[in-house]
Amino acid sequence: DQQVKQNSPSLSVQEGRISILNCDYTNSMFDYFLWYKKYPAEGPTFLISISSIKDKNEDGRFTVFLNKSAKHLSLHIVPSQPGDSAVYFCAASDPSGGGADGLTFGKGTHLIIQP
Amino acid sequence: GAGVSQSPRYKVAKRGQDVALRCDPISGHVSLFWYQQALGQGPEFLTYFQNEAQLDKSGLPSDRFFAERPEGSVSTLKIQRTQQEDSAVYLCASSRVPGLASNEQFFGPGTRLTVL
């Protein structure tokens, strides 16, 4: 069963508008969340992260929101640019020692920015 | 370059062959992770090294998979008697500090393994 879920396989947004990518998780032991961006034939690159003690983290055009009670996080990109077209992965970690030492990833959302 | 490198980038193997995939992490990075990414899926954790010690191998799917990092830098993921379900992109990532997976991990470009 998927512990990190990205229910939208793809999302199309017009250039200049806001892109909102969603992620849900089921494991209440997750306490750190990351977003990675991936271009074809390249490895994922780190974008932004958030600790469970916060509900918002902002870095330039990118903002991540965390709703712990709903076990939901979202990535907002504003304004969206053509170079933002990529696959975005949501990832989570459980540092309690009860889970694996690696990140748990969602399946990804393919974001397409239309001119 | 200064990033994580992996070789080969592409590998085609006949079913039953053994393969070895190499990862060169960023110099000085203590932590090294291997992930498997099947088509249309997100990366799935395989194993974790802190320096030369393999601290977690809970994600390795079978005893045909073996990883090592003998000198705490370069790592090799070996798959014995490859099967078609082993076809995937194998990603290596490294991190500057030990321990928690919450630290930013730098990924290599991956090795795409196709088993015929």
Side-chain angles (χ1 to χ4, degrees), chain B residues 34 47 49 54 57 60 65-70 75-78:
Chain B
W34 282 98
T47 187
F49 289 87
Q54 188 175 20
K57 52 183 181 179
L60 295 177
F65 286 70
F66 172 77
E68 60 183 6
R69 193 187 185 198
S75 177
T76 304
L77 176 66
K78 297 179 179 178

Side-chain angles (χ1 to χ4, degrees), chain A residues 3 11 16 21 55 66 71 74 76 89 91 97 99-100 109 113:
Chain A
Q3 295 188 64
L11 175 67
L21 295 94
D55 56 16
L66 175 63
K71 294 192 176 70
S74 60
H76 292 212
F89 290 100
T109 296
I113 304 301

